[in-house]
Amino acid sequence: MAASLPDYYFRVRDNGAFVFRVDSENRQRRLELDHIAVVKLRSGQIRPHGDRSLSPEDLRAIQDWIDQRQATLAARDIDDIHRAIDHLNLTTHWAQSGASDAQLEEITDQILLAMHDLRSVLVRKKADRLIKNGDDSKDDNAS
């Protein structure tokens, strides 16, 4: 069993993780987790725990975890958006075919405000991209 354990364990928390070195090769033959660092994803900060110094191997393993974690979170974000689109479609169907007047009265203003806010942001971002892409194509034509 010990051979299949990873060298590091990352206890995920908001904006990062606590990093532990996994030790299963000790006298008592017990599994021990040695807290070696704290990681903050947004800033990319890796802070050794206590008075420890991290080896290049530790830093490489932590950076690999950061890269994988950021990719996982990005994939989750886009999946959440696809789910939100599905929920909007389901909500539309519910509003059209199954909602009572009381239920519609309860949620209509909130949904309309949220949709207006979302539409405003999407239109502004789309315009920004079109302007940026238009400037890029002008630069390409000038060359």
Side-chain angles (χ1 to χ4, degrees):
M1 179 179 128
S4 65
L5 291 175
D7 293 330
Y8 299 92
Y9 168 69
F10 296 84
R11 183 191 302 154
V12 176
R13 64 189 190 106
D14 286 343
N15 185 33
F18 294 117
V19 183
F20 298 87
R21 188 176 295 117
V22 177
D23 179 14
S24 60
E25 301 294 327
N26 54 56
R27 277 187 178 166
Q28 296 85 15
R29 294 188 162 281
R30 292 177 36 186
L31 180 64
E32 292 183 10
L33 299 177
D34 186 21
H35 188 188
I36 63 168
V38 175
V39 175
K40 293 184 179 177
L41 280 178
R42 279 187 219 113
S43 66
Q45 181 184 21
I46 300 170
R47 193 175 68 225
H49 180 69
D51 59 352
R52 298 188 179 278
S53 58
L54 300 174
S55 71
E57 180 182 303
D58 294 336
L59 291 171
R60 191 170 30 260
I62 292 169
Q63 189 59 54
D64 288 347
W65 178 85
I66 288 172
D67 295 342
Q68 290 173 357
R69 183 68 180 168
Q70 288 174 332
T72 297
L73 293 175
R76 284 183 187 169
D77 281 347
I78 199 70
D79 186 55
D80 287 346
I81 299 306
H82 286 289
R83 288 173 193 258
I85 293 166
D86 288 346
H87 282 286
L88 281 171
N89 287 317
L90 292 169
T91 302
T92 302
H93 181 72
W94 169 80
Q96 185 174 19
S97 62
S100 70
D101 288 346
Q103 289 171 321
L104 289 172
E105 188 61 36
E106 181 180 336
I107 56 93
T108 297
D109 290 341
Q110 291 175 348
I111 288 179
L112 287 173
L113 287 170
M115 289 173 53
H116 175 74
D117 185 28
L118 176 60
R119 183 184 182 283
S120 298
V121 169
L122 292 175
V123 167
R124 184 177 66 247
K125 293 284 194 172
K126 177 95 177 188
D128 291 347
R129 287 192 314 275
L130 289 172
I131 291 169
K132 180 182 173 202
N133 290 340
D135 289 344
D136 289 347
S137 66
K138 287 179 187 174
D139 292 342
D140 292 342
N141 292 336
S143 301

